[in-house]
Amino acid sequence: MPDRTTHSIAHFTAAFALGGLEGPLPAGDYDIDHDEELIEGMSRIAWRRVATFIHLPARAVKNPTTSQLVAIDHLELETALKRDRENAA
């Protein structure tokens, strides 16, 4: 089954927390990957998200000694981004 990965950037103006991660993460821009698979049998092309990953540390960190790709819940990420936007307003 064909699959694809789409990329986006999540911008946080304040520290935030996501389940499965140790403690809060600092404000900044984070690369996000969404793995999707093709839904076959549809009359048009459709994709289903099967996983979401965040790249740690944030993009602004210069020359990180280590980096990691961590699986996260997409809905939890969307909730954290919405909360961040509301608190910034």
Side-chain angles (χ1 to χ4, degrees):
M1 179 176 294
D3 57 1
R4 70 179 184 183
T5 299
T6 58
H7 306 280
S8 63
I9 298 172
H11 175 75
F12 288 93
T13 59
F16 66 100
L18 295 173
L21 301 178
E22 291 184 25
L25 296 171
D29 293 331
Y30 290 84
D31 288 308
I32 306 294
D33 291 341
H34 304 281
D35 286 351
E36 301 170 317
E37 65 183 13
L38 182 64
I39 301 173
E40 295 189 31
M42 302 288 286
S43 60
R44 60 182 193 171
I45 295 175
W47 297 89
R48 172 184 20 247
R49 181 177 292 120
V50 294
T52 300
F53 300 93
I54 188 169
H55 293 254
L56 300 176
R59 298 177 120 227
V61 175
K62 301 292 185 209
N63 301 320
T65 56
T66 62
S67 63
Q68 56 184 328
L69 190 63
V70 180
I72 57 172
D73 180 274
H74 173 74
L75 294 176
E76 190 175 356
L77 173 63
E78 290 301 317
T79 299
L81 286 165
K82 181 179 177 187
R83 188 177 310 123
D84 185 73
R85 285 190 301 270
E86 290 170 352
N87 290 337

